Amino acid sequence: MTTGDISFLIIALAILGLVLFIGYFLVHLSATLNSVTQDVKLIANDVDDLLINTNVLLKDVNGKMVTVDPVFQAAGDLGASVSELNTSAHEVKDKFGSKKK
């Protein structure tokens, strides 16, 4: 065997080792990607269920807000009436207070 033959054999073995390493790496990468794909599908299903439940909850809250809204409107009107009554009472007090002096 000549030196050229030995160097060619070393290069061939190095390329074979590289091909085997790349094959091993790709097999493990494929297994990892399959696992990630399954996990993403499970998460997507859970997210779909969560969105459905969130939409149902939002519709329920909106329906209850329609029911409760008149109560808040009445409380606001009552507050405005009390404020007007308070203003009128102050005006009457000031009017009669100024006549006493």
Side-chain angles (χ1 to χ4, degrees), residues 1-99:
M1 258 191 190
T2 63
T3 322
D5 291 339
I6 293 174
S7 62
F8 178 74
L9 184 61
I10 291 172
I11 291 172
L13 288 174
I15 291 174
L16 178 65
L18 181 64
V19 167
L20 290 176
F21 173 75
I22 290 173
Y24 177 79
F25 174 76
L26 289 176
V27 166
H28 284 288
L29 180 64
S30 175
T32 302
L33 288 176
N34 285 337
S35 175
V36 168
T37 302
Q38 290 174 356
D39 290 344
V40 166
K41 285 180 183 178
L42 288 173
I43 290 171
N45 288 337
D46 289 344
V47 168
D48 285 342
D49 292 341
L50 180 64
L51 286 175
I52 289 169
N53 290 336
T54 302
N55 286 337
V56 168
L57 179 64
L58 186 60
K59 285 179 184 178
D60 184 44
V61 168
N62 285 337
K64 289 179 180 172
M65 284 299 297
V66 167
T67 304
V68 175
D69 192 41
V71 173
F72 287 113
Q73 183 66 37
D77 293 344
L78 179 65
S81 297
V82 168
S83 178
E84 289 174 7
L85 180 64
N86 190 21
T87 303
S88 297
H90 280 289
E91 289 173 359
V92 169
K93 180 192 73 123
D94 291 342
K95 188 183 234 185
F96 286 116
S98 65
K99 286 186 179 181

